[in-house]
Amino acid sequence: MKRRNVKHDDSSLDRKDRRAAGGGRKEGTRSPWWSKRGLLAAAAVCILVPVTYKIIPALIQDIIHTYRLSVPFFEDLSQPADFSLNHTINMYLTSEEGISLGVWHTVPESRWKEAQGKDLLWYQNTLNDGNPVFIYLHGNTGSRAAPHRVGVAKLLSALGYHVVVPDYRGFGDSTGEPTEPGLTTDAVHVYKWVKARSGDSLVVIWGHSLGTGVSSNTAVKLLEEGIVFDGVILEGAFNTDQQHLPYNMFSWYYWKFPGIMRLFSLLWEGKMPVFPTEHNLKKLKSPIVFLHAEDDHLVPIEIARRTYEVAAKAQSKDRVKLVTFDGSLGYLHNGLYRDPKLPGILKEFVKSL
């Protein structure tokens, strides 16, 4: 029988022996190497964390804004006719450096035919035609194309009024990140833009939901300059003094990215919007009409009544009115524009100004 030649892998044995013999020396050399790496890592963290804290909010804003504009079925807000507003023009106003606001201007329905094919200059000149101008400051999330916002624009236009509807920064196709000071700055700019072109025409502010907070902030800001709104409509007004908001109302801007809300919550922890509506109402000098549905599911009617009392006490019940709508009508928070009595209420308010 032939004997098989069995080859022993001496090299592997030698390696094991060498590792056993020299193990102590290698462990001894590793310790200072890992210490150096640890120190380098700690130094990197100390440098990168503050830098990241500064740049991440802007980076997220850029990424999210780009994402929001690139959604395949994103509505084209530059074409208001697509939303059945055929006597409306789209424009962009710069409220401050780097902030572009998408804005719609709808002329009175009686000028529908005349408005066809007209340019921005023609629309701007119509603001001086003597008809009242409403600046509609809408609620949270979405854009100026939301159905109930289009419904308000149509209602006011049918009554013979101009309607200017801006999207705040971060909303719709407007640039920037939504913040309370930023939204107030945007509203102040839109108001001044309208007043510079509307001559002696009445300018009325209609705030809905979030827009009620923006409206009252804007009114107080302009009061510092001696400017008083001709009239104010507050629909579905919330009151942070009476109602706790458990979350950042601008969180929708970030939550399209999984994990962003949790990961970066600390970055906007100290940026919770305040909107001190009750405090502002004590300073307002403009006639006010509160509009509120009794079945409003976001702002209970009891809060609306208490908010109204604050405003009425600050002025008088002749200058401040509360109009409620029966809960059986099902208007909730966004549906008041459908009420058949609302046109008469609005005409009476405008007539009183």
Side-chain angles (χ1 to χ4, degrees):
M1 179 180 295
K2 291 184 179 180
R3 298 170 64 183
R4 293 182 179 177
N5 293 324
V6 179
K7 294 183 179 179
H8 296 284
D9 190 351
D10 295 330
S11 61
S12 63
L13 292 174
D14 290 343
R15 283 196 298 271
K16 290 179 181 178
D17 293 340
R18 286 196 297 270
R19 280 200 299 269
R25 290 191 302 273
K26 291 190 177 181
E27 290 299 324
T29 57
R30 282 180 185 173
S31 180
W33 166 245
W34 284 106
S35 296
K36 291 178 181 178
R37 293 182 65 177
L39 289 172
L40 288 172
V45 168
C46 291
I47 295 171
L48 290 176
V49 167
V51 173
T52 301
Y53 187 87
K54 289 289 186 182
I55 68 172
I56 282 294
L59 180 61
I60 293 174
Q61 194 274 117
D62 289 341
I63 294 172
I64 293 176
H65 188 69
T66 302
Y67 170 83
R68 289 169 64 242
L69 291 181
S70 64
V71 174
F73 300 104
F74 194 81
E75 53 207 2
D76 186 357
L77 296 173
S78 67
Q79 301 296 324
D82 293 348
F83 305 93
S84 68
L85 291 172
N86 296 321
H87 45 300
T88 301
I89 197 165
N90 179 73
M91 56 186 163
Y92 296 94
L93 302 179
T94 302
S95 61
E96 62 182 8
E97 186 177 357
I99 301 297
S100 173
L101 307 178
V103 182
W104 284 349
H105 171 201
T106 302
V107 296
E109 190 176 86
S110 59
R111 305 191 70 170
W112 180 87
K113 289 185 178 179
E114 186 185 359
Q116 301 310 300
K118 295 298 193 297
D119 60 11
L120 179 58
L121 181 60
W122 181 87
Y123 273 84
Q124 290 182 12
N125 289 337
T126 64
L127 289 169
N128 195 20
D129 65 5
N131 291 308
V133 182
F134 278 71
I135 300 175
Y136 181 70
L137 301 176
H138 65 63
N140 200 22
T141 75
S143 70
R144 56 196 184 278
H148 61 286
R149 294 162 190 164
V150 172
V152 170
K154 287 183 175 181
L155 167 64
L156 293 171
S157 175
L159 293 175
Y161 309 142
H162 291 271
V163 195
V164 176
V165 186
D167 268 327
Y168 320 106
R169 64 187 65 195
F171 290 71
D173 55 354
S174 298
T175 61
E177 178 184 7
T179 63
E180 181 175 357
L183 268 61
T184 303
T185 296
D186 296 342
V188 167
H189 180 81
V190 172
Y191 175 81
K192 289 184 175 180
W193 184 90
V194 168
K195 283 296 292 181
R197 292 158 178 78
S198 59
D200 295 328
S201 300
L202 286 172
V203 178
V204 179
I205 305 300
W206 182 332
H208 173 233
S209 191
L210 168 68
T212 63
V214 179
S215 297
S216 68
N217 273 4
T218 303
V220 170
K221 187 74 173 177
L222 289 171
L223 275 174
E224 296 172 0
E225 303 178 26
I227 300 171
V228 178
F229 287 154
D230 293 327
V232 177
I233 295 174
L234 300 177
E235 177 193 356
F238 69 95
N239 185 338
T240 53
D241 285 343
Q242 303 283 344
Q243 181 182 22
H244 174 65
L245 299 179
Y247 59 90
N248 190 319
M249 63 181 67
F250 301 138
S251 59
W252 56 268
Y253 186 79
Y254 301 92
W255 69 33
K256 288 184 173 67
F257 285 81
I260 287 291
M261 286 293 291
R262 181 181 297 276
L263 184 58
F264 297 107
S265 60
L266 290 176
L267 296 179
W268 56 77
E269 192 175 61
K271 301 179 182 178
M272 285 286 284
V274 177
F275 291 111
T277 301
E278 185 168 309
H279 177 75
N280 290 339
L281 288 171
K282 295 175 182 178
K283 299 180 179 180
L284 260 61
K285 300 179 180 180
S286 307
I288 305 171
V289 169
F290 289 88
L291 304 174
H292 215 95
E294 292 181 349
D295 63 337
D296 191 313
H297 61 299
L298 297 182
V299 184
I301 186 63
E302 293 78 15
I303 289 178
R305 291 193 173 105
R306 291 200 292 268
T307 305
Y308 157 72
E309 289 296 338
V310 170
K313 184 178 180 180
Q315 296 195 64
S316 72
K317 293 192 176 182
D318 291 333
R319 291 176 60 81
V320 181
K321 305 291 184 182
L322 171 63
V323 181
T324 60
F325 298 80
D326 194 281
S328 64
L329 297 171
Y331 294 144
L332 300 174
H333 191 63
N334 295 332
L336 293 185
Y337 72 95
R338 302 196 306 265
D339 192 272
K341 296 180 182 179
L342 187 56
I345 294 168
L346 296 174
K347 286 191 290 185
E348 182 179 349
F349 180 58
V350 170
K351 186 179 179 181
S352 70
L353 300 176

